[in-house]
Amino acid sequence: DQQVKQNSPSLSVQEGRISILNCDYTNSMFDYFLWYKKYPAEGPTFLISISSIKDKNEDGRFTVFLNKSAKHLSLHIVPSQPGDSAVYFCAASAPTQGGSEKLVFGKGTKLTVNP
Amino acid sequence: NAGVTQTPKFRILKIGQSMTLQCTQDMNHNYMYWYRQDPGMGLKLIYYSVGAGITDKGEVPNGYNVSRSTTEDFPLRLELAAPSQTSVYFCASTGRNTIYFGEGSWLTVV
């Protein structure tokens, strides 16, 4: 059972336009959500996060929106740049015994920003 | 600041061989993780540790073992390598509201 779903395996946008990456989750216990990006042959790098007590978090060109009732979050990149071309992973965490953060990842969306 | 360092970056194993993937972090994080990523799939948790001396299974622990004798080190051991363990392995540690990944170890079992 996939608890975190990224239904679009790929997305292509023009430079300067908005990129919108979507993520759905099923576990209502998730209370923290993160987006990562991954370039080929490199480890994932943290991009932006949001707590379940918020519905929006912004960091420069990146904004994450959370809709708890729909169990949906999205990442907006405005304006998109060719260097943003990467695979973007959505991840969610729920409190666990011992207080650790066990992240559950989506399968990723490959974003291509065309010059 | 080195962050999370894992070795080796690439390795080819024969079926039945054993090996250890090394992972070390210099951020004094208590929580450390091992993930694997198969083609077209997201990251799946193999094992995690909440501190020195404490480890626990993740989603896909079969065929692997871990130990956490120090805060810095969290090695992952494959005792009898199988083709199903061909994957990319990522070690990670958790800081405040984020997680830091190593650069990955590409393992092929033939």
Side-chain angles (χ1 to χ4, degrees):
Chain A
D1 178 31
Q2 199 176 348
Q3 297 185 65
V4 176
K5 298 179 184 178
Q6 293 176 255
N7 292 317
S8 298
S10 63
L11 174 68
S12 183
V13 300
Q14 285 298 119
E15 180 178 7
R17 308 292 287 269
I18 184 171
S19 295
I20 300 177
L21 297 100
N22 294 304
C23 180
D24 298 293
Y25 62 95
T26 58
N27 188 344
S28 58
M29 296 300 292
F30 288 143
D31 64 352
Y32 205 78
F33 304 88
L34 307 93
W35 283 94
Y36 294 86
K37 72 175 182 181
K38 184 182 180 303
Y39 294 115
E42 294 183 12
T45 54
F46 171 74
L47 191 58
I48 193 169
S49 63
I50 188 167
S51 165
S52 60
I53 63 173
K54 294 185 175 182
D55 54 19
K56 177 182 175 183
N57 188 26
E58 193 171 353
D59 183 3
R61 297 186 297 114
F62 302 92
T63 303
V64 56
F65 296 92
L66 176 62
N67 182 333
K68 289 188 291 293
S69 61
K71 294 190 175 68
H72 177 85
L73 65 157
S74 60
L75 174 68
H76 293 208
I77 307 173
V78 184
S80 302
Q81 299 173 354
D84 295 330
S85 298
V87 178
Y88 290 78
F89 290 97
C90 169
S93 72
T96 59
Q97 191 175 14
S100 66
E101 293 181 19
K102 250 188 338 185
L103 292 177
V104 179
F105 286 85
K107 292 185 178 182
T109 297
K110 183 177 181 180
L111 173 66
T112 303
V113 180
N114 301 303
Chain B
N1 190 344
V4 177
T5 304
Q6 58 180 107
T7 57
K9 194 167 179 71
F10 300 98
R11 181 74 185 267
I12 297 175
L13 275 181
K14 292 184 178 179
I15 295 172
Q17 282 186 319
S18 62
M19 75 159 297
T20 299
L21 297 175
Q22 301 291 344
C23 177
T24 187
Q25 52 93 7
D26 61 359
M27 296 171 282
N28 203 33
H29 290 163
N30 284 324
Y31 306 135
M32 295 186 73
Y33 309 80
W34 274 105
Y35 291 92
R36 61 178 284 173
Q37 184 185 21
D38 300 323
M41 304 294 288
L43 294 167
K44 292 190 176 180
L45 182 64
I46 305 171
Y47 269 95
Y48 68 103
S49 168
V50 301
I54 307 170
T55 63
D56 206 349
K57 296 177 181 178
E59 301 171 72
V60 289
N62 292 342
Y64 306 94
N65 278 302
V66 293
S67 60
R68 186 90 182 275
S69 57
T70 66
T71 299
E72 294 78 19
D73 301 306
F74 190 41
L76 176 73
R77 183 150 181 89
L78 288 70
E79 291 291 353
L80 291 170
S84 62
Q85 293 177 305
T86 294
S87 189
V88 184
Y89 292 83
F90 291 100
C91 178
S93 71
T94 302
R96 185 172 177 83
N97 293 335
T98 189
I99 183 168
Y100 299 87
F101 287 92
E103 293 190 343
S105 296
W106 275 252
L107 178 65
T108 302
V109 181
V110 296

